[in-house]
Amino acid sequence: MDAASSIRPALTPPVHIALIMDGNGRWAKRRGLPRFAGHQQGAESVRTVVRSCRELGIRFVTLYAFSSENWKRPASEVDDLMGLLRLYVRRERDELVREGVRVRFIGDRTRLAPDIQGLLDEAEQRTAGNSLLTVCIALNYGSRSEIVDAARRIARQVAAGLLAPDAVDEATFQEALDTRGIPDPDLVIRTSGEQRLSNFLLWQSAYAELIFTPTLWPDFSRADLEQAISEYHRRERRYGTTSG
Ligand code: IPE
Ligand code: IPE
Ligand code: MG
């Protein structure tokens, strides 16, 4: 048997795709436009990708929209991003409800403006009964602080005598993360050519296949998504076992 025929590709379609949406600024710069234009076009890509995931039968898609480190950007850019978030949620919510999409937000929302927190809560509540596709949006999200928060939550249970230290296992941890109830991503895609995770789903991506594409996020299309899924199918997922 030659090497190629011993490779066992990932035959089952990805259940959960996570996307690091990067390159909005560079997209705008190449066109001589302000960064805002890149973020605006990026929001259109979100629409396209959510629709494509629904049509392709993907069950979970997580989108990295704003990291806890993105507060370091100029206040005007942060304001622009928050403005686009308001616009996006207001514009899409009815359609998402109608199409059977469930929306969830991960990250620390307490630092977001009160009206945005209200919009997020409302979108989650209105779509809570849907299950066709879950769209999970990471906002003011950082994986390390999510893990620290989980540890704190578990420590409190232990301190209160509700949980024995030896009973803490991976499942306990999984349940204490923001992503509780969501399966681990099978595939993590990052656009714009950067090859790093930037504090995104570090625990959850332990065995995810990683795909880095040079396409800038505002240009990311259904064809790019399908190409990434094809690449995923060519990968061999081993989980520590031998090949073949
Ligand atoms: C991604 O695009 C959007 C966010 C991180 C909010 P960037 O704004 O990071 O675009 P580049 O990396 O500067 O091109
Ligand atoms: C990662 O992109 C965060 C999001 C896509 C929301 P960044 O552009 O902020 O990441 P770095 O700074 O290049 O690592
Ligand atoms: Mg970037």
Side-chain angles (χ1 to χ4, degrees):
M1 198 160 61
D2 61 25
S5 64
S6 73
I7 289 181
R8 183 165 37 86
L11 288 172
T12 42
V15 172
H16 182 180
I17 298 178
L19 287 133
I20 304 176
M21 313 185 286
D22 200 9
N24 294 354
R26 278 161 284 171
W27 183 92
K29 194 170 180 195
R30 279 182 200 172
R31 286 168 175 72
L33 296 169
R35 292 179 65 84
F36 177 72
H39 295 314
Q40 210 170 20
Q41 196 56 41
E44 294 306 314
S45 296
V46 171
R47 251 176 90 83
T48 306
V49 163
V50 168
R51 192 182 323 116
S52 305
C53 283
R54 197 169 46 78
E55 290 167 2
L56 294 167
I58 305 299
R59 297 290 314 281
F60 297 88
V61 61
T62 297
L63 302 161
Y64 202 6
F66 192 88
S67 78
S68 44
E69 288 75 26
N70 287 148
W71 296 109
K72 294 177 197 157
R73 294 188 180 203
S76 58
E77 183 172 357
V78 171
D79 285 348
D80 284 347
L81 287 164
M82 294 299 155
L84 279 170
L85 172 65
R86 278 189 188 91
L87 217 75
Y88 178 82
V89 176
R90 287 207 189 104
R91 193 184 65 177
E92 301 299 321
R93 58 190 167 183
D94 291 340
E95 199 177 323
L96 294 170
V97 173
R98 260 200 321 275
E99 288 175 344
V101 174
R102 180 173 185 179
V103 186
R104 275 182 62 172
F105 297 93
I106 57 170
D108 178 10
R109 68 182 79 177
T110 61
R111 197 173 159 189
L112 305 177
D115 73 295
I116 293 184
Q117 293 186 41
L119 279 174
L120 307 188
D121 292 342
E122 191 210 328
E124 282 184 337
Q125 283 158 20
R126 282 186 63 198
T127 61
N130 291 346
S131 58
L132 203 62
L133 165 68
T134 296
V135 176
C136 177
I137 302 179
L139 281 174
N140 188 22
Y141 175 85
S143 197
R144 284 184 172 180
S145 89
E146 179 194 29
I147 290 170
V148 170
D149 282 347
R152 213 178 277 135
R153 213 166 284 143
I154 294 167
R156 267 192 231 108
Q157 284 181 275
V158 170
L162 299 168
L163 190 65
D166 288 343
V168 177
D169 57 10
E170 291 187 12
T172 319
F173 232 93
Q174 212 122 22
E175 278 305 298
L177 295 169
D178 290 0
T179 49
R180 70 193 69 88
I182 298 178
D184 288 342
D186 300 295
L187 174 57
V188 175
I189 303 170
R190 182 169 187 149
T191 58
S192 88
E194 307 300 339
Q195 303 193 4
R196 56 177 170 268
L197 292 173
S198 301
N199 206 10
F200 185 52
L201 301 181
L202 301 181
W203 167 285
Q204 296 88 341
S205 296
Y207 270 103
E209 295 296 327
L210 308 179
I211 290 183
F212 301 103
T213 165
T215 305
L216 301 174
W217 177 251
D219 288 328
F220 194 82
S221 63
R222 178 173 171 145
D224 293 298
L225 181 69
E226 288 182 6
Q227 202 181 322
I229 295 173
S230 303
E231 162 77 28
Y232 169 84
H233 284 300
R234 287 193 294 274
R235 300 275 179 94
E236 181 197 13
R237 302 189 83 189
R238 286 190 192 162
Y239 302 101
T241 65
T242 52
S243 61

